[in-house]
Amino acid sequence: MKLPAELDKAPVMRWKEEEQTLTLVGEPVLEMSLSWPEWTGQGALARHAGRYYARLARRWREHWAREGYIRACLALAERREQSRPFAPWSVSLSGRVTLDGGEYLSLALAARERREDGRTLEYRWGDVWRRSDGAAAGLGELLGGERRWRRHLRQALEQAAQDARRAGLCLDPELERPLRRWFSPRRATLTEEGLEVYYPQCTLAPAAEGAPVLRLSLPQSARWAGREEVSS
């Protein structure tokens, strides 16, 4: 049982938010919105994950403030030459907690960029952290340490793609090879039901679908199965 003083030092996560509008001669050209997790308190998770997400937010901020801003300014100039209206670019970094309990903390994150013509670029990924040492957890560990977890996961992904198509997601007709080629453990996260796996935009579906998400049921052998909810 934790004493009151220890509870004061327990890590607590919150989402930090930041908004900024970049202009050119007083005209808005890029609207930036950043949201990332940070921790107060002590512990390995607060230390390692907190530093990681602070760096992540800084890198996206710098990318959009330089490369993104320059491209948006060029788009504005082109629109002005054509006497066409210009809508400021809108870029965002956001996230959500997908599993908060037991041994693991899992988050899903997304970076989006909407340009002046309405086209949207999207990138999704997931992070799973061990509470005990604040380290990232791999899929092999999460799936119970099975030696053939990649083959089992591939079969589950094929079934998840069929389910997503039946649910209305406009997936490409041939998926067997793209499912294998574009799969990355870096683009997966835990949920209460199992796994969410994210694929890059335009790999499994038309660009209008964004970054496709496939949802897999919870394997019986998964390390986080049968977990007990605990406070963060």
Side-chain angles (χ1 to χ4, degrees), residues 12-49:
V12 176
M13 191 193 81
R14 70 180 185 90
W15 290 91
K16 186 172 183 178
E17 298 181 352
E18 176 183 307
E19 294 187 354
Q20 185 179 4
T21 299
L22 305 183
T23 63
L24 179 64
V25 195
E27 180 170 357
V29 294
L30 188 145
E31 298 171 344
M32 186 189 315
S33 175
L34 303 175
S35 177
W36 69 95
E38 66 174 13
W39 281 259
T40 59
Q42 302 178 3
L45 178 62
R47 183 168 61 255
H48 296 312

Side-chain angles (χ1 to χ4, degrees), residues 48-116:
H48 296 312
R51 291 174 181 172
Y52 166 78
Y53 289 114
R55 290 195 302 268
L56 181 72
R58 183 175 66 251
R59 288 172 182 171
W60 279 106
R61 183 191 303 110
E62 292 174 350
H63 167 72
W64 281 323
R66 291 184 301 201
E67 289 88 345
Y69 175 70
I70 292 172
R71 295 199 307 269
C73 289
L74 292 174
L76 170 63
E78 181 179 0
R79 290 273 172 158
R80 290 293 178 265
E81 289 180 358
Q82 300 171 351
S83 299
R84 300 172 61 189
F86 173 81
W89 285 28
S90 176
V91 299
S92 66
L93 172 67
S94 61
R96 59 187 173 88
V97 175
T98 58
L99 180 68
D100 184 6
E103 185 178 354
Y104 301 103
L105 172 67
S106 184
L107 299 95
L109 296 105
R112 296 180 179 89
E113 181 178 298
R114 182 180 58 78
R115 300 184 174 182
E116 81 286 350

